[in-house]
Amino acid sequence: MTRSDGIGAGVSALVLIAIMAPLGAVLFRAGPMTGLGAADIAAVRFTIWQALLSAAFSVAFAVPVARALARRRFPGRSILISLMGAPFILPVIVAVLGLLVVFGRSGAVSAILGFFGLPPIEIYGLHGVVIAHMFFNLPLAVRLVLQGWLAIPAERYQLAASLGFTSRDVARHMEWPMLRAVCPGAFLVIFLICTTSFAVALTLGGGPSATTVELAIYQAFRFEFDLARAALLGLVQVAICVVAGLMVFWVAVPNATGTGLDRPVTRWDCNDKLSISLDAAWITLAATFLFLPLLAIFVRGVLGLGELPASIFQAAGRSVVLSLASAFVAVALALPMAVLIARGRAAGIIETIGALSIAVSPLVIGTGLFVILRPYVSPQDSSLPVTGLVNALAALPFLLRAFVPAIGQAEAAYGRLAASLGMTSWQRWRHVLLPRLKRPLGFGAGLAAALSMGDLGVITLFAAPQQGTLPLEMYRLMGSYQTSAAQGAALLLMALSLGMFWIFDRGGRVNAAT
């Protein structure tokens, strides 16, 4: 085992301890468990139901949108596809405020419905949670399904044209088999994301009938400090995530589209006016659904900037420092683990450790860390460091997915040469890996920083009034009905999150090896 392999194994062990030790601390302090109550069972039922609906609607909406994007070429297409990733890195609390402006009872959509004598949209409860999850996950579903469409070789379409296939024949023999391979995985990934949702349920949940497991864990900690109930709910959430993860492998269908020569695809079966109009309608509908809340945030936020209290700017400074520290820790943890995975050294075990941060509730991890640290430091004094560590662990699976392919390509291309030259681990990192990791490093660091900037999770448990981050201060403004100031804070938070991601991502692309 090389030195870098040893470092990777040590880091993986530390990550495992950082996730499991807090869970063990909560279980140890919890005492005897009495089982799930009626409210807890209702929370589990609602969690699964809203995740099923959110995933189903997201994938169902994504199929015609991805089909339209795959079949059409128009000015700004690549920019539109890139901008579709914005909701994923957008702070949840900001997106929720934008959705309220558009879909709330006094929002634009409800006003249009009222003009026709229809009742307004009920944004709180199941409807709001599903709409918010669709807003966040539709771009992910579109990208996954679009990759499936683009993976069909151009030669298949040429063969279909020579055989006289109609549009229905193309769908039956080429598109439906691809969708059968891609859609189940996309559905289950989104389902898994929605089961661990917290901020959406916190802001749009409609009381006991619309409480997720993650929100129930928060209530058990924050209002009752019932560690036994919180620990049991945490284990239930782990079980839900594990079952969903196993189903990914169970429903996986090999993609049998074959390989081609990467030639441009020429479609002959979709040039009639009806197909063109339908594709344009789907693209317009998706763009309106995704970008209208962002536009509302910008317009309303500009008007509210003048009403921001001084505490908002202090919280913004804390959030920037916290997100930078969280991104640094996440990258430092992900790099050595990614090397082990790329080299095939216990890859399955390391990937499982990385995925545990999604399965185990961040609130449980944060509370467990507070329990461990309580004899030495007060929860208020450790709230920011604990939040930063939990945010770094939450970003770890995404960073591993970004780093592993690049490291694997570098090792395959230059690994044997580096070994024949007798390079040390440091020399291998400096001359082989890091020059080819600039792009994923920039992307990963920006993603980790943006996710940490917009996080509204652990910090809500023990932060003192003067220690709030920008998302927490914005949530407090919303709770005190200072809507205009909250909208200004939303614009500031959105600008900081997207700006931080852009700076890191752009920095990774400058002079990056290709």
Side-chain angles (χ1 to χ4, degrees):
M1 177 181 291
T2 64
R3 179 179 299 180
S4 60
D5 291 344
I7 295 175
V11 169
S12 302
L14 288 176
V15 170
L16 181 61
I17 293 172
I19 295 174
M20 300 308 295
L23 178 60
V26 172
L27 291 172
F28 179 77
R29 286 287 303 273
M33 298 182 184
T34 58
L36 296 176
D40 300 326
I41 295 175
V44 173
R45 187 184 299 113
F46 178 80
T47 298
I48 297 175
W49 179 235
Q50 62 84 19
L52 286 172
L53 290 178
S54 300
F57 285 129
S58 296
V59 174
F61 191 6
V63 169
V65 176
R67 189 188 192 203
L69 290 171
R71 299 200 301 187
R72 304 301 168 194
R73 296 295 183 270
F74 53 89
R77 175 180 176 274
S78 60
I79 297 176
L80 175 63
I81 294 175
S82 298
L83 289 177
M84 278 190 168
F88 185 75
I89 61 175
L90 190 70
V92 175
I93 189 68
V94 173
V96 167
L97 188 58
L99 291 170
L100 286 172
V101 173
V102 177
F103 297 101
R105 294 186 63 87
S106 58
V109 175
S110 293
I112 296 174
L113 293 176
F115 180 79
F116 294 99
L118 299 174
I121 294 178
E122 183 57 56
I123 191 66
Y124 293 100
L126 178 64
H127 305 82
V129 172
V130 172
I131 290 174
H133 283 158
M134 282 186 62
F135 176 79
F136 287 110
N137 296 302
L138 176 62
L140 174 61
V142 169
R143 295 295 290 268
L144 292 174
V145 178
L146 180 60
Q147 290 302 315
W149 242 292
L150 298 179
I152 300 176
E155 290 77 11
R156 291 296 181 96
Y157 290 105
Q158 294 175 355
L159 177 61
S162 66
L163 295 175
F165 274 24
T166 64
S167 179
R168 181 175 297 180
D169 294 328
V170 171
R172 177 184 178 185
H173 296 286
M174 298 170 59
E175 294 178 334
W176 284 114
M178 178 276 297
L179 291 175
R180 183 170 175 265
V182 172
C183 287
F187 175 90
L188 288 171
V189 167
I190 295 173
F191 175 85
L192 187 61
I193 293 174
C194 294
T195 57
T196 58
S197 174
F198 170 69
V200 169
L202 179 66
T203 52
L204 295 179
S209 61
T211 298
T212 62
V213 172
E214 189 78 3
L215 183 56
I217 293 172
Y218 166 77
Q219 293 170 346
F221 281 137
R222 189 72 174 86
F223 303 114
E224 307 166 13
F225 203 69
D226 188 348
L227 294 182
R229 177 169 172 253
L232 182 58
L233 288 169
L235 293 177
V236 169
Q237 180 163 292
V238 171
I240 295 174
C241 294
V242 169
V243 171
L246 292 176
M247 288 179 65
V248 172
F249 300 101
W250 180 56
V251 303
V253 179
N255 195 342
T257 57
T259 59
L261 300 177
D262 297 328
R263 295 172 178 171
V265 175
T266 302
R267 299 291 297 268
W268 81 100
D269 60 321
C270 54
N271 294 323
D272 57 286
K273 291 183 179 180
L274 179 60
S275 297
I276 295 174
S277 299
L278 287 176
D279 288 347
W282 281 113
I283 294 173
T284 302
L285 183 62
T288 302
F289 175 68
L290 294 175
F291 299 143
L292 196 58
L294 301 182
L295 179 62
I297 293 169
F298 179 79
V299 174
R300 298 288 185 93
V302 170
L303 300 176
L305 287 176
E307 301 184 24
L308 292 179
S311 60
I312 285 293
F313 298 100
Q314 297 170 358
R318 283 190 290 271
S319 290
V320 169
V321 174
L322 183 66
S323 62
L324 291 175
S326 179
F328 175 81
V329 173
V331 170
L333 295 176
L335 278 176
M337 295 176 66
V339 170
L340 274 184
I341 296 173
R343 292 177 180 174
R345 309 287 175 82
I349 297 176
I350 305 302
E351 287 190 286
T352 301
I353 292 174
L356 281 175
S357 59
I358 295 180
V360 180
S361 167
L363 297 178
V364 173
I365 297 176
T367 302
L369 290 173
F370 285 126
V371 169
I372 294 173
L373 296 174
R374 189 173 183 179
Y376 312 100
V377 61
S378 67
Q380 288 76 19
D381 293 337
S382 60
S383 60
L384 290 177
V386 168
T387 300
L389 176 59
V390 173
N391 289 344
L393 294 174
L396 192 57
F398 304 104
L399 269 63
L400 290 177
R401 289 297 88 208
F403 294 166
V404 169
I407 293 176
Q409 291 176 3
E411 287 286 346
Y414 302 101
R416 292 183 179 179
L417 177 61
S420 66
L421 294 175
M423 285 187 175
T424 64
S425 296
W426 167 244
Q427 291 172 333
R428 198 180 187 113
W429 271 102
R430 180 182 178 184
H431 298 292
V432 177
L433 295 180
L434 289 180
R436 290 155 188 86
L437 277 174
K438 287 184 179 180
R439 288 177 184 267
L441 268 177
F443 172 82
L447 180 61
L451 293 177
S452 179
M453 175 67 71
D455 177 70
L456 183 65
V458 178
I459 194 66
T460 61
L461 292 176
F462 300 108
Q466 70 278 9
Q467 293 179 328
T469 58
L470 184 52
L472 181 57
E473 291 300 319
M474 178 185 162
Y475 177 69
R476 289 169 176 170
L477 289 174
M478 293 173 62
S480 59
Y481 300 101
Q482 301 181 54
T483 305
S484 183
Q487 290 168 345
L491 178 60
L492 178 61
L493 180 56
M494 181 175 70
L496 288 174
S497 299
L498 298 180
M500 189 165 294
F501 174 80
W502 182 85
I503 290 173
F504 275 106
D505 188 45
R506 176 64 177 171
R509 293 177 182 273
V510 173
N511 297 326
T514 58

